[in-house]
Amino acid sequence: MAKHKKEDFEDFGLGEKSYSKGYRSLNKDGSFNIEKTNISFLERLNFFHSLVTMKWSHFFGIVALTYFLVNTFFATIYSLIGIEHLTGIHGLTPFEQFMEAFFFSAQTITTLGYGQVAPLGLLANIVAATESLLGLLFFALATGLFYGRFSKPISKIKFSQKAIIAPYQDINGFMFRLVNPQKNELLDVEINVSVSMKRKNSELRDFHILDLERDNVRFFPSMWTVVHPIDKNSPLYELNKEDYFEKDFEFIAMLKAFDESSGQMVYSRSSYKPEEIEWGQKFVYAAKRHNGKLLVDVGRINESKKAELN
């Protein structure tokens, strides 16, 4: 194997120790396969991150549940103060009175107020005024979180499920494909590919930066086949399929680009393990011309055919 300079190595912050064979530090969806333990609840608590990153259904569920619980809380306070301190809800059953207090709370917290029910007395008015203030703060916070979620740039770059070892010029190359399935335009796209491998007779790992045929493109409207030429300067040189498994390879791909729609940088990442690499294959061409346009068949991103290796 060719020798590499110190500059060829990169520290990903994933640790040098190899924990178990087949361990994956970066999942296919780009999330890290690392979980922190022995952390107190308060140290782990991060409301903003949780509310901005959770699913939309969970977000709306929490907003609706909070709205219901707050109104129930204030309806209970109005009931404890005395329903007689609210006008227009006398002569009703206790349940009906509580429901009227609940809906009065909903009208107060939204500063709506239909005028049929109004607080009487100092204590009831203080509670109503406090609830109005909290309502303004609650909806301002909910609106900010909603906008933060809506405006947060999300990269939905699609990586091929498999990588291949394919003939490349007069040598071989490590290849995978990626495509942007959405209509937003990505500019100045850069990709970095590294490989993690176990050291010989050691449980420690090395990280190598892989030289690419092309590591950036100005525009990204089509499908991109990322190629690492396996030449004499490559850490993959003269290694076979069994070596990939023995050294417990993990290829890590990281992409960054400028999203023209949001005006912000977006990032995406994925990884490949030896069992996700097919040898002696070649990706098929997934684009064709039709009515003056180039049609890219995203569904063929994983499609390949046999090819003789050099």
PDB file of all heavy atoms in Angstrom, residues 74 78 104 108-109 111 119 121-136:
ATOM      1  N   PHE A  74     -56.674  27.750  33.578  1.00  0.00           N
ATOM      2  CA  PHE A  74     -57.328  29.025  33.901  1.00  0.00           C
ATOM      3  C   PHE A  74     -58.824  28.840  34.147  1.00  0.00           C
ATOM      4  O   PHE A  74     -59.407  29.562  34.969  1.00  0.00           O
ATOM      5  CB  PHE A  74     -57.088  30.040  32.786  1.00  0.00           C
ATOM      6  CG  PHE A  74     -55.754  30.719  32.880  1.00  0.00           C
ATOM      7  CD1 PHE A  74     -54.688  30.320  32.083  1.00  0.00           C
ATOM      8  CD2 PHE A  74     -55.545  31.743  33.784  1.00  0.00           C
ATOM      9  CE1 PHE A  74     -53.457  30.943  32.183  1.00  0.00           C
ATOM     10  CE2 PHE A  74     -54.320  32.382  33.893  1.00  0.00           C
ATOM     11  CZ  PHE A  74     -53.264  31.978  33.092  1.00  0.00           C
ATOM     12  N   TYR A  78     -60.790  30.163  37.450  1.00  0.00           N
ATOM     13  CA  TYR A  78     -62.048  30.908  37.456  1.00  0.00           C
ATOM     14  C   TYR A  78     -63.105  30.193  38.294  1.00  0.00           C
ATOM     15  O   TYR A  78     -63.888  30.829  39.010  1.00  0.00           O
ATOM     16  CB  TYR A  78     -62.564  31.109  36.030  1.00  0.00           C
ATOM     17  CG  TYR A  78     -61.724  32.056  35.200  1.00  0.00           C
ATOM     18  CD1 TYR A  78     -61.224  31.672  33.954  1.00  0.00           C
ATOM     19  CD2 TYR A  78     -61.426  33.333  35.655  1.00  0.00           C
ATOM     20  CE1 TYR A  78     -60.453  32.536  33.198  1.00  0.00           C
ATOM     21  CE2 TYR A  78     -60.652  34.207  34.894  1.00  0.00           C
ATOM     22  CZ  TYR A  78     -60.171  33.794  33.666  1.00  0.00           C
ATOM     23  OH  TYR A  78     -59.403  34.650  32.914  1.00  0.00           O
ATOM     24  N   PHE A 104     -64.314  30.867  27.855  1.00  0.00           N
ATOM     25  CA  PHE A 104     -63.963  32.255  28.187  1.00  0.00           C
ATOM     26  C   PHE A 104     -62.445  32.399  28.267  1.00  0.00           C
ATOM     27  O   PHE A 104     -61.874  33.398  27.810  1.00  0.00           O
ATOM     28  CB  PHE A 104     -64.605  32.663  29.510  1.00  0.00           C
ATOM     29  CG  PHE A 104     -64.104  33.972  30.021  1.00  0.00           C
ATOM     30  CD1 PHE A 104     -64.440  35.168  29.401  1.00  0.00           C
ATOM     31  CD2 PHE A 104     -63.264  34.023  31.136  1.00  0.00           C
ATOM     32  CE1 PHE A 104     -63.955  36.390  29.866  1.00  0.00           C
ATOM     33  CE2 PHE A 104     -62.777  35.228  31.600  1.00  0.00           C
ATOM     34  CZ  PHE A 104     -63.123  36.422  30.973  1.00  0.00           C
ATOM     35  N   THR A 108     -60.046  34.742  26.063  1.00  0.00           N
ATOM     36  CA  THR A 108     -59.158  35.701  26.715  1.00  0.00           C
ATOM     37  C   THR A 108     -57.721  35.521  26.273  1.00  0.00           C
ATOM     38  O   THR A 108     -57.014  36.496  25.986  1.00  0.00           O
ATOM     39  CB  THR A 108     -59.248  35.540  28.251  1.00  0.00           C
ATOM     40  OG1 THR A 108     -60.601  35.725  28.663  1.00  0.00           O
ATOM     41  CG2 THR A 108     -58.356  36.552  28.951  1.00  0.00           C
ATOM     42  N   ILE A 109     -57.254  34.261  26.193  1.00  0.00           N
ATOM     43  CA  ILE A 109     -55.854  34.002  25.860  1.00  0.00           C
ATOM     44  C   ILE A 109     -55.541  34.384  24.426  1.00  0.00           C
ATOM     45  O   ILE A 109     -54.401  34.693  24.082  1.00  0.00           O
ATOM     46  CB  ILE A 109     -55.509  32.516  26.126  1.00  0.00           C
ATOM     47  CG1 ILE A 109     -53.991  32.345  26.289  1.00  0.00           C
ATOM     48  CG2 ILE A 109     -56.015  31.619  25.007  1.00  0.00           C
ATOM     49  CD1 ILE A 109     -53.580  30.979  26.758  1.00  0.00           C
ATOM     50  N   THR A 111     -57.088  36.956  23.058  1.00  0.00           N
ATOM     51  CA  THR A 111     -57.533  38.364  23.036  1.00  0.00           C
ATOM     52  C   THR A 111     -58.708  38.555  22.088  1.00  0.00           C
ATOM     53  O   THR A 111     -58.857  39.608  21.456  1.00  0.00           O
ATOM     54  CB  THR A 111     -56.379  39.314  22.632  1.00  0.00           C
ATOM     55  OG1 THR A 111     -56.007  39.067  21.273  1.00  0.00           O
ATOM     56  CG2 THR A 111     -55.185  39.134  23.555  1.00  0.00           C
ATOM     57  N   PRO A 119     -65.254  39.284  33.150  1.00  0.00           N
ATOM     58  CA  PRO A 119     -64.882  39.121  34.559  1.00  0.00           C
ATOM     59  C   PRO A 119     -65.465  40.242  35.417  1.00  0.00           C
ATOM     60  O   PRO A 119     -65.571  41.385  34.979  1.00  0.00           O
ATOM     61  CB  PRO A 119     -63.359  39.181  34.522  1.00  0.00           C
ATOM     62  CG  PRO A 119     -63.041  40.001  33.321  1.00  0.00           C
ATOM     63  CD  PRO A 119     -64.111  39.695  32.317  1.00  0.00           C
ATOM     64  N   GLY A 121     -65.098  41.918  39.380  1.00  0.00           N
ATOM     65  CA  GLY A 121     -64.280  41.951  40.589  1.00  0.00           C
ATOM     66  C   GLY A 121     -62.799  42.013  40.290  1.00  0.00           C
ATOM     67  O   GLY A 121     -62.338  41.675  39.184  1.00  0.00           O
ATOM     68  N   LEU A 122     -62.049  42.448  41.286  1.00  0.00           N
ATOM     69  CA  LEU A 122     -60.611  42.664  41.122  1.00  0.00           C
ATOM     70  C   LEU A 122     -59.869  41.364  40.822  1.00  0.00           C
ATOM     71  O   LEU A 122     -59.048  41.302  39.899  1.00  0.00           O
ATOM     72  CB  LEU A 122     -60.046  43.314  42.387  1.00  0.00           C
ATOM     73  CG  LEU A 122     -58.533  43.570  42.387  1.00  0.00           C
ATOM     74  CD1 LEU A 122     -58.154  44.538  41.258  1.00  0.00           C
ATOM     75  CD2 LEU A 122     -58.092  44.095  43.740  1.00  0.00           C
ATOM     76  N   LEU A 123     -60.130  40.308  41.569  1.00  0.00           N
ATOM     77  CA  LEU A 123     -59.385  39.058  41.431  1.00  0.00           C
ATOM     78  C   LEU A 123     -59.584  38.443  40.058  1.00  0.00           C
ATOM     79  O   LEU A 123     -58.625  38.015  39.389  1.00  0.00           O
ATOM     80  CB  LEU A 123     -59.804  38.083  42.535  1.00  0.00           C
ATOM     81  CG  LEU A 123     -58.945  36.818  42.671  1.00  0.00           C
ATOM     82  CD1 LEU A 123     -57.477  37.192  42.881  1.00  0.00           C
ATOM     83  CD2 LEU A 123     -59.441  35.957  43.824  1.00  0.00           C
ATOM     84  N   ALA A 124     -60.838  38.376  39.588  1.00  0.00           N
ATOM     85  CA  ALA A 124     -61.121  37.795  38.270  1.00  0.00           C
ATOM     86  C   ALA A 124     -60.482  38.620  37.166  1.00  0.00           C
ATOM     87  O   ALA A 124     -59.971  38.073  36.172  1.00  0.00           O
ATOM     88  CB  ALA A 124     -62.632  37.690  38.060  1.00  0.00           C
ATOM     89  N   ASN A 125     -60.484  39.930  37.301  1.00  0.00           N
ATOM     90  CA  ASN A 125     -59.868  40.784  36.290  1.00  0.00           C
ATOM     91  C   ASN A 125     -58.348  40.629  36.270  1.00  0.00           C
ATOM     92  O   ASN A 125     -57.728  40.689  35.201  1.00  0.00           O
ATOM     93  CB  ASN A 125     -60.245  42.244  36.532  1.00  0.00           C
ATOM     94  CG  ASN A 125     -61.591  42.594  35.934  1.00  0.00           C
ATOM     95  OD1 ASN A 125     -61.721  42.764  34.722  1.00  0.00           O
ATOM     96  ND2 ASN A 125     -62.617  42.671  36.781  1.00  0.00           N
ATOM     97  N   ILE A 126     -57.737  40.441  37.455  1.00  0.00           N
ATOM     98  CA  ILE A 126     -56.287  40.205  37.511  1.00  0.00           C
ATOM     99  C   ILE A 126     -55.929  38.909  36.791  1.00  0.00           C
ATOM    100  O   ILE A 126     -54.969  38.852  36.011  1.00  0.00           O
ATOM    101  CB  ILE A 126     -55.798  40.174  38.967  1.00  0.00           C
ATOM    102  CG1 ILE A 126     -55.867  41.572  39.578  1.00  0.00           C
ATOM    103  CG2 ILE A 126     -54.378  39.629  39.045  1.00  0.00           C
ATOM    104  CD1 ILE A 126     -55.503  41.608  41.042  1.00  0.00           C
ATOM    105  N   VAL A 127     -56.719  37.855  37.039  1.00  0.00           N
ATOM    106  CA  VAL A 127     -56.472  36.570  36.370  1.00  0.00           C
ATOM    107  C   VAL A 127     -56.631  36.721  34.862  1.00  0.00           C
ATOM    108  O   VAL A 127     -55.812  36.223  34.070  1.00  0.00           O
ATOM    109  CB  VAL A 127     -57.421  35.485  36.905  1.00  0.00           C
ATOM    110  CG1 VAL A 127     -57.253  34.193  36.107  1.00  0.00           C
ATOM    111  CG2 VAL A 127     -57.145  35.233  38.381  1.00  0.00           C
ATOM    112  N   ALA A 128     -57.692  37.420  34.410  1.00  0.00           N
ATOM    113  CA  ALA A 128     -57.927  37.607  32.980  1.00  0.00           C
ATOM    114  C   ALA A 128     -56.806  38.421  32.336  1.00  0.00           C
ATOM    115  O   ALA A 128     -56.353  38.114  31.222  1.00  0.00           O
ATOM    116  CB  ALA A 128     -59.277  38.283  32.763  1.00  0.00           C
ATOM    117  N   ALA A 129     -56.339  39.468  33.024  1.00  0.00           N
ATOM    118  CA  ALA A 129     -55.249  40.284  32.489  1.00  0.00           C
ATOM    119  C   ALA A 129     -53.959  39.486  32.386  1.00  0.00           C
ATOM    120  O   ALA A 129     -53.209  39.592  31.400  1.00  0.00           O
ATOM    121  CB  ALA A 129     -55.048  41.516  33.369  1.00  0.00           C
ATOM    122  N   THR A 130     -53.690  38.676  33.419  1.00  0.00           N
ATOM    123  CA  THR A 130     -52.490  37.820  33.402  1.00  0.00           C
ATOM    124  C   THR A 130     -52.560  36.822  32.258  1.00  0.00           C
ATOM    125  O   THR A 130     -51.577  36.587  31.555  1.00  0.00           O
ATOM    126  CB  THR A 130     -52.349  37.084  34.740  1.00  0.00           C
ATOM    127  OG1 THR A 130     -52.298  38.028  35.805  1.00  0.00           O
ATOM    128  CG2 THR A 130     -51.101  36.225  34.749  1.00  0.00           C
ATOM    129  N   GLU A 131     -53.748  36.245  32.066  1.00  0.00           N
ATOM    130  CA  GLU A 131     -53.914  35.263  30.994  1.00  0.00           C
ATOM    131  C   GLU A 131     -53.725  35.915  29.626  1.00  0.00           C
ATOM    132  O   GLU A 131     -53.135  35.313  28.726  1.00  0.00           O
ATOM    133  CB  GLU A 131     -55.301  34.619  31.082  1.00  0.00           C
ATOM    134  CG  GLU A 131     -55.501  33.518  30.055  1.00  0.00           C
ATOM    135  CD  GLU A 131     -56.855  32.839  30.167  1.00  0.00           C
ATOM    136  OE1 GLU A 131     -57.707  33.314  30.945  1.00  0.00           O
ATOM    137  OE2 GLU A 131     -57.057  31.829  29.468  1.00  0.00           O
ATOM    138  N   SER A 132     -54.200  37.136  29.447  1.00  0.00           N
ATOM    139  CA  SER A 132     -54.020  37.842  28.179  1.00  0.00           C
ATOM    140  C   SER A 132     -52.550  38.052  27.871  1.00  0.00           C
ATOM    141  O   SER A 132     -52.094  37.863  26.737  1.00  0.00           O
ATOM    142  CB  SER A 132     -54.745  39.188  28.215  1.00  0.00           C
ATOM    143  OG  SER A 132     -56.132  39.016  28.364  1.00  0.00           O
ATOM    144  N   LEU A 133     -51.778  38.440  28.910  1.00  0.00           N
ATOM    145  CA  LEU A 133     -50.342  38.641  28.722  1.00  0.00           C
ATOM    146  C   LEU A 133     -49.653  37.333  28.351  1.00  0.00           C
ATOM    147  O   LEU A 133     -48.836  37.277  27.420  1.00  0.00           O
ATOM    148  CB  LEU A 133     -49.736  39.226  29.992  1.00  0.00           C
ATOM    149  CG  LEU A 133     -48.203  39.400  29.991  1.00  0.00           C
ATOM    150  CD1 LEU A 133     -47.774  40.358  28.885  1.00  0.00           C
ATOM    151  CD2 LEU A 133     -47.723  39.886  31.349  1.00  0.00           C
ATOM    152  N   LEU A 134     -49.975  36.265  29.079  1.00  0.00           N
ATOM    153  CA  LEU A 134     -49.379  34.964  28.787  1.00  0.00           C
ATOM    154  C   LEU A 134     -49.776  34.480  27.395  1.00  0.00           C
ATOM    155  O   LEU A 134     -48.991  33.819  26.703  1.00  0.00           O
ATOM    156  CB  LEU A 134     -49.798  33.941  29.847  1.00  0.00           C
ATOM    157  CG  LEU A 134     -49.245  34.174  31.259  1.00  0.00           C
ATOM    158  CD1 LEU A 134     -49.789  33.122  32.219  1.00  0.00           C
ATOM    159  CD2 LEU A 134     -47.719  34.140  31.245  1.00  0.00           C
ATOM    160  N   GLY A 135     -51.016  34.804  26.987  1.00  0.00           N
ATOM    161  CA  GLY A 135     -51.466  34.419  25.647  1.00  0.00           C
ATOM    162  C   GLY A 135     -50.649  35.085  24.562  1.00  0.00           C
ATOM    163  O   GLY A 135     -50.259  34.443  23.575  1.00  0.00           O
ATOM    164  N   LEU A 136     -50.357  36.371  24.733  1.00  0.00           N
ATOM    165  CA  LEU A 136     -49.530  37.077  23.755  1.00  0.00           C
ATOM    166  C   LEU A 136     -48.140  36.447  23.662  1.00  0.00           C
ATOM    167  O   LEU A 136     -47.597  36.247  22.573  1.00  0.00           O
ATOM    168  CB  LEU A 136     -49.424  38.555  24.138  1.00  0.00           C
ATOM    169  CG  LEU A 136     -50.698  39.394  23.998  1.00  0.00           C
ATOM    170  CD1 LEU A 136     -50.476  40.788  24.578  1.00  0.00           C
ATOM    171  CD2 LEU A 136     -51.111  39.498  22.535  1.00  0.00           C
TER     172      LEU A 136
END
